[in-house]
Short mmCIF file of all heavy atoms in Angstrom, two decimals:
data_model
loop_
_atom_site.label_atom_id
_atom_site.label_comp_id
_atom_site.label_asym_id
_atom_site.label_seq_id
_atom_site.Cartn_x
_atom_site.Cartn_y
_atom_site.Cartn_z
N ALA Y 109 71.79 -34.50 -12.46
CA ALA Y 109 71.04 -34.29 -13.70
C ALA Y 109 69.94 -33.25 -13.48
O ALA Y 109 69.71 -32.37 -14.32
CB ALA Y 109 70.44 -35.61 -14.19
N LEU Y 110 69.27 -33.33 -12.34
CA LEU Y 110 68.18 -32.40 -12.04
C LEU Y 110 68.72 -30.99 -11.82
O LEU Y 110 68.09 -30.00 -12.23
CB LEU Y 110 67.40 -32.89 -10.82
CG LEU Y 110 66.00 -32.33 -10.64
CD1 LEU Y 110 65.11 -32.73 -11.81
CD2 LEU Y 110 65.39 -32.82 -9.34
N ALA Y 111 69.88 -30.89 -11.18
CA ALA Y 111 70.49 -29.58 -10.96
C ALA Y 111 70.82 -28.93 -12.30
O ALA Y 111 70.62 -27.72 -12.49
CB ALA Y 111 71.75 -29.72 -10.11
N ARG Y 112 71.32 -29.72 -13.24
CA ARG Y 112 71.60 -29.19 -14.58
C ARG Y 112 70.30 -28.72 -15.24
O ARG Y 112 70.26 -27.65 -15.87
CB ARG Y 112 72.27 -30.27 -15.43
CG ARG Y 112 72.51 -29.84 -16.86
CD ARG Y 112 73.05 -30.98 -17.71
NE ARG Y 112 72.88 -30.68 -19.13
CZ ARG Y 112 73.04 -31.56 -20.11
NH1 ARG Y 112 73.39 -32.82 -19.83
NH2 ARG Y 112 72.85 -31.21 -21.37
N ALA Y 113 69.25 -29.53 -15.10
CA ALA Y 113 67.96 -29.15 -15.70
C ALA Y 113 67.43 -27.86 -15.10
O ALA Y 113 66.86 -27.01 -15.81
CB ALA Y 113 66.96 -30.28 -15.51
N ALA Y 114 67.60 -27.68 -13.79
CA ALA Y 114 67.14 -26.45 -13.14
C ALA Y 114 67.89 -25.24 -13.69
O ALA Y 114 67.30 -24.17 -13.92
CB ALA Y 114 67.32 -26.56 -11.63
N ARG Y 115 69.20 -25.40 -13.90
CA ARG Y 115 69.99 -24.28 -14.44
C ARG Y 115 69.58 -23.95 -15.86
O ARG Y 115 69.46 -22.78 -16.23
CB ARG Y 115 71.49 -24.64 -14.41
CG ARG Y 115 72.12 -24.71 -13.05
CD ARG Y 115 73.63 -24.76 -13.16
NE ARG Y 115 74.10 -25.88 -13.96
CZ ARG Y 115 74.39 -27.08 -13.48
NH1 ARG Y 115 74.22 -27.32 -12.19
NH2 ARG Y 115 74.84 -28.03 -14.28
N GLU Y 116 69.37 -24.98 -16.67
CA GLU Y 116 69.15 -24.75 -18.10
C GLU Y 116 67.71 -24.39 -18.44
O GLU Y 116 67.47 -23.78 -19.48
CB GLU Y 116 69.59 -25.99 -18.88
CG GLU Y 116 71.09 -26.23 -18.81
CD GLU Y 116 71.55 -27.36 -19.71
OE1 GLU Y 116 70.79 -27.76 -20.62
OE2 GLU Y 116 72.68 -27.86 -19.50
N THR Y 117 66.76 -24.77 -17.59
CA THR Y 117 65.35 -24.47 -17.90
C THR Y 117 64.77 -23.36 -17.03
O THR Y 117 63.77 -22.75 -17.40
CB THR Y 117 64.48 -25.72 -17.70
OG1 THR Y 117 64.44 -26.08 -16.31
CG2 THR Y 117 64.99 -26.90 -18.52
N GLY Y 118 65.38 -23.11 -15.86
CA GLY Y 118 64.81 -22.14 -14.94
C GLY Y 118 63.57 -22.66 -14.26
O GLY Y 118 62.87 -21.91 -13.56
N ALA Y 119 63.29 -23.95 -14.41
CA ALA Y 119 62.08 -24.53 -13.81
C ALA Y 119 62.34 -24.92 -12.36
O ALA Y 119 63.48 -25.00 -11.90
CB ALA Y 119 61.64 -25.76 -14.61
N ARG Y 120 61.24 -25.15 -11.66
CA ARG Y 120 61.29 -25.66 -10.29
C ARG Y 120 60.80 -27.10 -10.30
O ARG Y 120 59.89 -27.44 -11.07
CB ARG Y 120 60.43 -24.82 -9.36
CG ARG Y 120 60.90 -23.37 -9.24
CD ARG Y 120 59.92 -22.54 -8.43
NE ARG Y 120 58.61 -22.46 -9.08
CZ ARG Y 120 57.47 -22.84 -8.51
NH1 ARG Y 120 57.47 -23.38 -7.31
NH2 ARG Y 120 56.32 -22.71 -9.15
N PHE Y 121 61.38 -27.95 -9.45
CA PHE Y 121 61.03 -29.37 -9.46
C PHE Y 121 60.64 -29.85 -8.06
O PHE Y 121 61.23 -29.43 -7.07
CB PHE Y 121 62.21 -30.21 -9.97
CG PHE Y 121 62.62 -29.87 -11.38
CD1 PHE Y 121 63.70 -29.04 -11.62
CD2 PHE Y 121 61.91 -30.36 -12.46
CE1 PHE Y 121 64.08 -28.72 -12.92
CE2 PHE Y 121 62.27 -30.04 -13.76
CZ PHE Y 121 63.35 -29.22 -13.98
N GLU Y 122 59.66 -30.72 -8.02
CA GLU Y 122 59.30 -31.42 -6.79
C GLU Y 122 59.55 -32.90 -7.04
O GLU Y 122 58.93 -33.52 -7.90
CB GLU Y 122 57.83 -31.20 -6.43
CG GLU Y 122 57.42 -31.97 -5.19
CD GLU Y 122 55.95 -31.79 -4.83
OE1 GLU Y 122 55.21 -31.18 -5.63
OE2 GLU Y 122 55.53 -32.28 -3.76
N VAL Y 123 60.48 -33.47 -6.27
CA VAL Y 123 60.84 -34.87 -6.46
C VAL Y 123 60.13 -35.73 -5.42
O VAL Y 123 60.25 -35.49 -4.21
CB VAL Y 123 62.36 -35.07 -6.33
CG1 VAL Y 123 62.72 -36.55 -6.50
CG2 VAL Y 123 63.10 -34.23 -7.37
#
Side-chain angles (χ1 to χ4, degrees):
L110 200 62
R112 176 186 162 192
R115 290 193 303 270
E116 294 187 17
T117 67
R120 297 174 297 122
F121 299 99
E122 178 181 7
V123 179

